[in-house]
């Protein structure tokens, strides 16, 4: 129940707004990410500046999200803060029909709706920016891999794959290697 209460904070009641531009500011922190069980991001401190332009039959919503998200380095397993600063835009159309033609850039709401829930959009925009391969020296600000962990990894016999591949080579390939060298 507390999760639902927290996500209500990310709703913009647009029905009472006049035509024109309106600005909103939202904090996106750990409580936000806790609401999403499968979020790639578990911790972060972000701000979302949202500009909502209300028109007669549509809304234009511009997002500017900035701050940091906490990631774990895939090389040394150290957590680090990765800076984020991006812009997104979504158009919101109103319709009487049940026919829903939503795309990535266009959301469809009923003409009877009175508020816009942006929690799902923020979740998606932030999680899409998590790199496939996280490395603190590349995505972190003034961060580098833990030298102690790198030393342990370089001393590990399990990572010496060159000798393993040579030992596991099928002897039938030796004949072909001799042909190649001639």
């Amino acid at each position: 129940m507390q999760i639902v209460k927290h996500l209500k904070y990310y709703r913009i009641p647009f029905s009472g707004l006049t035509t024109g531009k309106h600005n909103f500011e939202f904090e996106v922190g750990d409580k936000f990410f806790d609401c999403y069980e499968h979020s790639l991001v578990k911790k972060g401190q972000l701000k979302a500046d949202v500009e909502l332009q209300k028109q007669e039959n549509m809304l234009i919503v511009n997002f500017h999200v900035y701050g940091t998200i906490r990631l774990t380095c895939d090389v040394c397993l150290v957590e680090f803060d990765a800076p984020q600063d991006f812009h997104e835009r979504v158009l919101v159309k109103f319709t009487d029909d049940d026919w829903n033609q939503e795309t990535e850039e266009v959301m469809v709401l009923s003409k009877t709706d009175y508020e816009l829930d942006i929690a799902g959009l923020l979740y998606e925009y932030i999680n899409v920016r998590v790199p496939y391969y996280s490395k603190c020296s590349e995505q972190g600000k003034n961060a580098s891999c833990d030298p102690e962990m790198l030393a342990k990894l370089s001393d590990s016999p399990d990572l010496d794959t060159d000798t393993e591949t040579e030992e596991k080579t099928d002897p039938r390939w030796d004949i072909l290697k001799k042909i190649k060298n001639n």
Side-chain angles (χ1 to χ4, degrees), residues 12-181:
I12 301 173
F14 59 81
S15 65
L17 298 176
T18 59
T19 303
K21 292 183 180 180
H22 304 275
N23 294 309
F24 302 90
E25 189 176 284
F26 297 92
E27 299 281 334
V28 181
D30 298 348
K31 284 185 180 180
F32 176 83
F33 298 113
D34 289 344
C35 295
Y36 294 96
E37 184 179 353
H38 301 291
S39 177
L40 296 173
V41 179
K42 299 296 181 197
K43 294 181 180 184
Q45 292 302 316
L46 299 151
K47 282 194 183 226
D49 293 334
V50 180
E51 179 191 80
L52 183 139
Q53 183 178 350
K54 185 177 182 183
Q55 297 180 355
E56 194 172 313
N57 57 357
M58 74 182 298
L59 302 172
I60 300 171
V61 188
N62 292 301
F63 295 87
H64 178 210
V65 181
Y66 54 95
T68 60
I69 57 174
R70 178 69 51 99
L71 299 175
T72 302
C73 181
D74 289 332
V75 176
C76 67
L77 304 177
V78 168
E79 286 189 347
F80 66 96
D81 290 329
Q84 301 293 308
D85 191 348
F86 60 88
H87 295 268
E88 288 289 342
R89 181 178 123 166
V90 67
L91 303 175
V92 182
K93 283 178 40 178
F94 299 105
T95 182
D96 288 326
D97 304 336
D98 289 337
W99 188 50
N100 191 347
Q101 273 193 299
E102 279 195 19
T103 66
E104 286 182 28
E105 298 91 22
V106 179
M107 284 179 62
V108 178
L109 294 178
S110 168
K111 286 192 176 184
T112 60
D113 287 335
Y114 60 93
E115 64 184 6
L116 175 64
D117 186 354
I118 62 166
L121 293 171
L122 289 172
Y123 167 77
E124 185 178 317
Y125 294 153
I126 294 166
N127 275 272
V128 162
R129 285 182 168 63
V130 173
Y132 178 71
Y133 179 77
S134 298
K135 188 171 180 184
C136 51
S137 61
E138 292 174 10
Q139 285 100 16
K141 188 174 184 178
N142 299 327
S144 59
C145 283
D146 180 14
E148 190 176 313
M149 181 61 81
L150 292 178
K152 286 181 182 179
L153 288 172
S154 65
D155 292 342
S156 175
D158 295 340
L159 295 178
D160 192 12
T161 56
D162 292 339
T163 56
E164 286 182 24
T165 53
E166 287 179 20
E167 292 172 6
K168 292 182 180 178
T169 304
D170 188 334
R172 293 174 285 185
W173 289 105
D174 291 340
I175 297 169
L176 293 175
K177 284 182 186 176
K178 288 178 185 175
I179 294 172
K180 181 181 169 188
N181 291 339

Side-chain angles (χ1 to χ4, degrees), residues 2-14:
Q2 196 168 4
I3 291 173
V4 174
K5 274 186 175 181
H6 184 71
L7 291 180
K8 283 184 179 181
Y9 171 70
Y10 300 95
R11 293 182 183 168
I12 301 173
F14 59 81

